[in-house]
Amino acid sequence: MTPNTLAPFTLAHLSDPHLAPLPKPRLIELAGKRVLGYVNWTRNRHKYQRREVLDALVADMKAQAPDHIAVTGDLVNLALEAEFAPARTWLEGVGPPDRVTTIPGNHDAYVRATSHRFGETFAPYLAGDDGGIGFPSVRRRGPLALISLSTAVPTLPLMATGTLGRDQLDSLAAMLERLAAEDVFRVLLVHHPLKSDARQKRMTDSAALLALLKRHGVELILHGHDHIHSTMWFEGPNGNIPALGVPSASALAHGRYPAAAYNLFTIEKDNAGWRCEQTVRSLGAGFQIGQIKHVRLI
């Protein structure tokens, strides 16, 4: 069956759940970077990263019955050993591995000692069509080719940068060349945005990724990290490519950061090519989730 004969495919996108509550760390785990992260959590972040918000958002998202769900990283906070099993249980509640794809964020690889735990814990949700656990990977779902990248690397204190690395970029170029021969809607999943004014939060090799996408193209880019609504456009071989970010899935509105939200994309073939519409649903008064935006992207 070709994409032309398929009904519209719906893809939900949420990011940065930063699952609460944070387990009490052992003293030995608070060495180095985690000390600052723990202080920040206990003084500030626990006030607005709320599990009840995340539960309300996920319940509403599941009520929309999306065909697939993408979670673009930062499931945990300090990458403590005790965070990973509850995060796996939460993700299983979102959906099974054939209906949910996740990638790591910088908090999932917060320190070198546990930077391998995300891949171990969420392997079924990361595995590509070939069964491999690595990046880049591709999962075909309906008319979509979901292309997963990882920018998750341990960084110094006060830094939240991400890096792809040459090997991942070279493999992505070859993957996109192969996909160009298929009639698929290519969705790139990456935690860090492709453009950032914040030096301490940027993707360090985004210029290389943008150059690659200019040559090979994708139809849609989804990311998290910044905890804000974001729509950016980047040059592709056949026109501009939309890149969408979303607020933290567990956040109360605070400061310049909006309340939790998720994206819902409706994707289908039409006579002119691909059609993609974005709906944004967000937390409102009384913990009610409602639509705040609907727009055609492509």
Side-chain angles (χ1 to χ4, degrees), residues 206-242:
S206 61
L209 177 57
L210 288 171
L212 190 157
L213 293 174
K214 184 177 179 180
R215 293 194 305 273
H216 299 287
V218 294
E219 279 63 56
L220 180 64
I221 302 164
L222 303 180
H223 68 85
H225 191 55
D226 283 346
H227 295 198
I228 59 173
H229 297 284
S230 174
T231 302
M232 295 183 280
W233 296 84
F234 298 104
E235 187 176 359
N238 302 305
N240 289 335
I241 304 166

Side-chain angles (χ1 to χ4, degrees), residues 154-272:
T155 58
L156 294 173
L158 304 180
M159 298 296 287
T161 53
T163 301
L164 292 166
R166 178 46 55 188
D167 289 349
Q168 197 173 171
L169 287 163
D170 289 346
S171 296
L172 177 62
M175 180 179 287
L176 291 178
E177 284 187 5
R178 293 194 298 271
L179 288 172
E182 302 183 30
D183 189 18
V184 291
F185 187 94
R186 298 160 297 176
V187 182
L188 192 71
L189 306 178
V190 61
H191 180 68
H192 287 75
L194 278 64
K195 182 179 179 181
S196 177
D197 295 329
R199 180 180 178 277
Q200 73 276 14
K201 296 186 66 175
R202 75 194 192 286
M203 187 194 307
T204 61
D205 47 5
S206 61
L209 177 57
L210 288 171
L212 190 157
L213 293 174
K214 184 177 179 180
R215 293 194 305 273
H216 299 287
V218 294
E219 279 63 56
L220 180 64
I221 302 164
L222 303 180
H223 68 85
H225 191 55
D226 283 346
H227 295 198
I228 59 173
H229 297 284
S230 174
T231 302
M232 295 183 280
W233 296 84
F234 298 104
E235 187 176 359
N238 302 305
N240 289 335
I241 304 166
L244 285 298
V246 70
S248 165
S250 63
L252 295 171
H254 59 287
R256 69 181 184 90
Y257 297 103
Y262 69 93
N263 292 320
L264 193 66
F265 300 96
T266 304
I267 298 157
E268 62 182 320
K269 268 283 195 173
D270 65 16
N271 293 331

Side-chain angles (χ1 to χ4, degrees), residues 35-238:
V35 173
L36 296 177
Y38 183 67
V39 169
N40 187 27
W41 176 269
T42 55
R43 289 184 177 179
N44 299 303
R45 291 175 70 99
H46 79 280
K47 300 174 185 176
Y48 50 81
Q49 305 284 178
R50 303 287 289 274
R51 181 59 182 263
E52 61 267 35
V53 171
L54 178 61
D55 290 347
L57 198 77
V58 170
D60 184 83
M61 179 186 67
K62 291 171 74 172
Q64 311 306 311
D67 295 297
H68 200 78
I69 299 167
V71 184
T72 51
D74 279 0
L75 276 67
V76 301
N77 297 286
L78 305 182
L80 299 167
E81 285 286 353
E83 288 186 273
F84 287 97
R88 171 64 185 260
T89 299
W90 171 79
L91 194 61
E92 290 171 346
V94 174
D98 63 327
R99 301 291 296 273
V100 179
T101 298
T102 192
I103 60 170
N106 55 296
H107 281 261
D108 302 313
Y110 203 68
V111 295
R112 193 170 303 279
T114 54
S115 60
H116 62 290
R117 292 289 285 123
F118 191 91
E120 293 176 351
T121 303
F122 301 105
Y125 291 88
L126 303 173
D129 290 340
D130 60 1
I133 308 297
F135 299 98
S137 66
V138 63
R139 301 178 122 194
R140 292 167 179 81
R141 299 292 186 269
L144 273 58
L146 297 162
I147 304 160
S148 296
L149 298 179
S150 174
T151 54
V153 292
T155 58
L156 294 173
L158 304 180
M159 298 296 287
T161 53
T163 301
L164 292 166
R166 178 46 55 188
D167 289 349
Q168 197 173 171
L169 287 163
D170 289 346
S171 296
L172 177 62
M175 180 179 287
L176 291 178
E177 284 187 5
R178 293 194 298 271
L179 288 172
E182 302 183 30
D183 189 18
V184 291
F185 187 94
R186 298 160 297 176
V187 182
L188 192 71
L189 306 178
V190 61
H191 180 68
H192 287 75
L194 278 64
K195 182 179 179 181
S196 177
D197 295 329
R199 180 180 178 277
Q200 73 276 14
K201 296 186 66 175
R202 75 194 192 286
M203 187 194 307
T204 61
D205 47 5
S206 61
L209 177 57
L210 288 171
L212 190 157
L213 293 174
K214 184 177 179 180
R215 293 194 305 273
H216 299 287
V218 294
E219 279 63 56
L220 180 64
I221 302 164
L222 303 180
H223 68 85
H225 191 55
D226 283 346
H227 295 198
I228 59 173
H229 297 284
S230 174
T231 302
M232 295 183 280
W233 296 84
F234 298 104
E235 187 176 359
N238 302 305

